[in-house]
Every structure is written in C-alpha cells, then in structure tokens.
Amino acid sequence: TPPTPHPHNKAEMSRFMRFAASSARRTFRRVSSASQIGTRMLAAGRGFSRNLTQYKAPLTAAAAMGAGIVGCVGLTAVAEALEPKAELVSFNAPGKDSVNIVLHTEEQPTLDDMKIFSGTANLPLASEIAEELGVPLGELSIKAYADGEIGIQVHENVRGKDIYIIQPTCPPGVNDNLMELILLVSTMRRASARKITAVIPYFGYARQDRKMQSRVPISAADVCRLLEAMGVDRVVAVDLHCGQIQGFFGPRTPCDNLEGSVVALPYFANLDLKSESTIVASPDAGGVHRAKHFRDRLKKRYGIDAGLAMIIKQRLRANAVERMDLVGNVEGCDVILVDDMIDTAGTLTKAASELTARGAKRVFAYATHGLFNGPAVSRIQKSELEQVVICNTVPLSPAAVQCSKIKQLSIAELLAEAIARIHYRKSVSVLFKK
C-alpha cells in the first residue's frame, strides 16, 4: 500500500487513485452480480476510508474504489440492489468521464424504532410525552417485594430498538426512583436494545456537585458514573442545578440540558408586564446567570425589556438563611424571582418579603422544579408572593395542588420535541433559538 496522500496534493491523490483502481480491478475481476459488487465495494471502500479519515477525505477513497471497479460505467444497478442503504453521488475520476459511485449511508430511523418507557416517579408526565409523540407507553411491570427490593420486567420486545426511559429521580423516594432508573437501563441493555436514552426531568443529587467541606462525596458525579456503568447512551435533563454536571458524564455519553424557561415565558408575557416597571431577580448570587438568561429571552421573544436585580443571602446552614441584601432598585415594579428549584421555600418567601419591603408592587416566582418539601406550601400560602409558577417535572403533593398560589405548567411538549429531534438526528439547540 502506498503512503496515504494528503487530500490537497493533487499529484499524490492521483497516484493513490490509480493504485486504488488497479487494486479494485484485481479484487472484483471474478465478481458478476450487482449485489456482490456492492457488498465488496463497501467492504473495501471502508478500508480505504480508514486510511484517509485522518486527512478528512474518506469519500475520495470510496470514489477511487468505485472508479476502479467499473472504469467509467454508472453503478445504477448496485444502488438498486442496496436500497435504502445506499445513494448515488457523482465523481470525476482523473483522466476519465464522470461516473456514478455508490456510497453507503445509514438507514434513517423511523417511529417504529422508538419505544417510550416510564418508571413510577412521574407517570402522568410520561403519558403526556408519549401522547405528544404519538406512540404508546411501553409495557412493563415494577413491583416492590416484601423486603424492599424492586422487581422489573419488560413485557415487549426491545431488541434493536431506540429506548427512551422517562424517570425523574425526585422526592418522595429519591433513592427508590434512582434505583428504578438504574435497573431499567440495565434491563434494556441486557435485552439488546440498540440505544438507551435516559430522560431525567429532575436530576436528584444535583446540589451535591462539589466538595464544600472535607470527607464528603461528590454525589452528582457518582450518580452519573452509575448511569454510565449501566450502559446508558445519552441523558436528557431539564435545568440542571449546575451546568457542569454535564461534564460528569464521559464524552461517549452526551448530556442535553434543556431550558424549562421556554415553557414559562408565554405565561409571564400574558401578565400585562411593562418594560419600564418589570424586574427579573435572582434569589441568590449563583443564579444571576439564570435570571439574566430569562430576562434576555423575555426581551427577545416578547419585547419586555426588564431590569435585573439580585439578592445576596447568607446561610446559617442548609435550608436556613440568616440575612438578605438586595442589589438593584425594585420600587414600584413587578418582580419575577427566577430559580431552578423550590425546596422548602424558605429562601423564596424571605426574598419576596425583602422585595416587598423595598417597594415592589407585585412579586412572582418561577422555578422549573417544584419540590415543596416540609413547610413549603404553607410558607407560600402565607407569603407576599402573587403567584409561584413551576413545571411538572416533579409530581405535586395534594397540598400543593390545592394551593391557590401555585401554578403548574406542562413541559411534555418540550421534552417530546427534544426526544423526536434526538431520534431523527436533528439539532436540539434549535428548540431554544425559535
């Protein structure tokens, strides 16, 4: 085999292609049928392509093989034999007329290749997503044994299918939901699924993303390693607590972090907000980027040019705030507090009180994930908050459903479109550029 040519050196490429043509004629001298030609050409073409991949010229090598097989004759018969996994392209061989070359292309996925399954964490959301996609939820059974173990059985064939598992690792039962997800991924992998995507609307343990003191785990990273070890191929999450959690997965396991704010923007745009009297505020310094992003989208999509404010909080311990300081002017304004999640609502209600004391006219709150643990619902009901808007990434408790100040929006359409784009190999980022 001659040295691999550089794709921009015409002389080297010409010599290499003459060698490839000569080798191809010897290889295919005794081959007659179109299907045999196609099969052998594809096999040999891959070998030449591997040699040229480092120079970004794999198509040239495949074209050289095609030219060597038939000289200047079009390979229409080969294309017909290989459909729908082949296509014709034109190539000008040196010193010859234009020829048609068959190149192998991967078969496009169809809706029949997709299967949607759900754990027990948020079945209503999974049902909405399946309805948006126009596919039924996959049949499986999940049961708890007397000793607390979880048993899983899938009741339909998943061999060679693209599997999408919808399971937030949310309360109540964070660890049970996480174990369900891990076992579901393992079950699909052992059942010979082609590709497994874990759709995790709420990513549990996300707040433990770094070491804040000695001798503590980085639990978010450990959860990512568990999912990778089970064989997950891709992860789709919504508003991760910290974006760097995407980096806890290796390069072979891409992680898409969807923005739940696109669901809430139309709701706030219909509240008759005015640019000169609207402020988007962050309840802590770490969420300023999130609040700024929300404000920018509000301006770009709906023309509401809101201001920006920030509350700096000093904590005594987890879920306990000592004092708050406001950066910015909110007097006479409608304020939208933007955060990624609401846990016990202590920070949120104190921020609302601080804003009201500084002259805010109305205070709204938006968070993608509404956990509402402990006294959260009663705190919100008694607070100065006008409305708390959340997405249905986490199922609401009966008390939260009855609270008049809590408004839940569905994120099913966003997740369904993201799944469809991943399945059909289209850009996911387009969702947030519309």
Side-chain angles (χ1 to χ4, degrees):
T1 302
T4 303
H6 194 280
H8 300 299
N9 189 318
K10 293 184 179 179
E12 290 185 11
M13 288 301 300
S14 179
R15 285 196 298 271
F16 182 80
M17 291 181 66
R18 285 197 296 271
F19 169 81
S22 176
S23 299
R25 290 191 188 95
R26 291 195 299 271
T27 302
F28 296 101
R29 187 172 295 160
R30 298 183 181 182
V31 178
S32 56
S33 71
S35 60
Q36 286 178 313
I37 292 175
T39 302
R40 293 202 181 184
M41 188 192 80
L42 291 173
R46 290 192 191 99
F48 280 98
S49 297
R50 280 194 294 272
N51 292 335
L52 288 181
T53 297
Q54 58 181 319
Y55 294 108
K56 309 297 182 186
L59 295 186
T60 305
M65 288 301 302
I69 295 167
V70 292
C72 297
V73 180
L75 294 180
T76 306
V78 182
E80 292 174 353
L82 294 175
E83 286 292 346
K85 295 186 177 182
E87 61 180 9
L88 284 175
V89 298
S90 295
F91 176 76
N92 294 318
K96 298 181 181 293
D97 297 329
S98 176
V99 296
N100 291 325
I101 307 300
V102 178
L103 295 177
H104 180 72
T105 58
E106 191 173 353
E107 190 174 356
Q108 289 298 310
T110 65
L111 201 61
D112 292 335
D113 299 324
M114 176 195 295
K115 285 192 176 290
I116 307 292
F117 290 90
S118 173
T120 60
N122 198 340
L123 272 171
L125 175 60
S127 299
E128 283 187 58
I129 293 171
E131 186 176 350
E132 289 281 349
L133 290 168
V135 298
L137 271 180
E139 295 183 10
L140 58 81
S141 58
I142 301 174
K143 57 183 178 181
Y145 295 111
D147 61 355
E149 294 179 2
I150 299 171
I152 294 175
Q153 185 178 9
V154 179
H155 300 300
E156 56 185 272
N157 181 28
V158 298
R159 184 180 298 273
K161 302 294 184 180
D162 293 342
I163 306 299
Y164 297 86
I165 301 171
I166 301 165
Q167 175 78 340
T169 53
C170 60
V174 173
N175 296 326
D176 288 341
N177 292 333
L178 176 59
M179 182 55 68
E180 267 187 33
L181 176 60
I182 289 171
L183 293 180
L184 281 168
V185 172
S186 174
T187 302
M188 301 302 175
R189 180 57 65 205
R190 294 174 191 273
S192 302
R194 192 179 78 90
K195 186 177 72 172
I196 302 170
T197 300
V199 181
I200 311 175
Y202 172 77
F203 194 95
Y205 288 97
R207 285 176 283 185
Q208 301 182 44
D209 61 337
R210 60 196 184 277
K211 291 184 71 172
M212 296 296 291
Q213 53 188 348
S214 302
R215 297 175 296 280
V216 296
I218 304 177
S219 304
D222 297 333
V223 170
C224 296
R225 291 173 65 88
L226 280 170
L227 290 171
E228 275 192 300
M230 287 299 102
V232 73
D233 294 298
R234 192 184 194 101
V235 173
V236 178
V238 181
D239 277 332
L240 290 168
H241 184 65
C242 291
Q244 65 262 28
I245 291 175
Q246 293 173 279
F248 292 158
F249 292 99
R252 294 172 185 255
T253 309
C255 177
D256 296 298
N257 186 22
L258 306 183
E259 299 172 15
S261 61
V262 297
V263 176
L265 287 171
Y267 178 83
F268 286 103
N270 292 327
L271 292 179
D272 195 28
L273 300 175
K274 307 296 182 183
S275 297
E276 62 275 7
S277 60
T278 301
I279 299 291
V280 176
S282 171
D284 55 53
V288 173
H289 175 74
R290 186 181 298 110
K292 183 178 181 299
H293 199 58
F294 187 93
R295 183 200 65 172
D296 292 343
R297 287 193 179 280
L298 202 60
K299 177 182 177 181
K300 184 176 180 180
R301 297 191 180 193
Y302 300 101
I304 301 173
D305 190 7
L308 189 65
M310 174 183 66
I311 293 175
I312 301 174
K313 61 185 178 183
Q314 298 180 19
R315 287 189 180 273
L316 285 173
R317 57 187 178 277
N319 297 325
V321 178
E322 182 180 13
R323 58 172 290 184
M324 290 186 165
D325 297 310
L326 176 66
V327 178
N329 182 23
V330 297
E331 188 172 356
C333 296
D334 293 324
V335 182
I336 304 173
L337 282 165
V338 177
D339 209 347
D340 64 320
M341 69 176 72
I342 301 172
D343 191 356
T344 60
T347 298
L348 188 70
T349 52
K350 286 188 177 181
S353 298
E354 183 70 22
L355 291 168
T356 304
R358 298 295 185 95
K361 185 169 61 175
R362 293 186 297 175
V363 181
F364 300 91
Y366 165 71
T368 305
H369 313 294
L371 305 181
F372 302 125
N373 294 315
V377 175
S378 62
R379 283 175 174 173
I380 290 171
Q381 190 67 50
K382 297 173 184 176
S383 71
E384 289 85 354
L385 287 163
E386 190 86 9
Q387 191 97 61
V388 175
V389 181
I390 46 110
C391 296
N392 61 341
T393 55
V394 178
L396 290 180
S397 64
V401 172
Q402 295 174 3
C403 181
S404 59
K405 290 189 176 183
I406 295 176
K407 173 70 175 178
Q408 188 181 57
L409 305 176
S410 177
I411 204 169
E413 186 179 351
L414 174 66
L415 285 171
E417 190 167 354
I419 290 172
R421 287 187 169 276
I422 291 169
H423 185 68
Y424 293 111
R425 297 164 196 164
K426 296 181 179 179
S427 171
V428 176
S429 62
V430 172
L431 288 172
F432 310 104
K433 294 179 181 178
K434 289 181 180 180

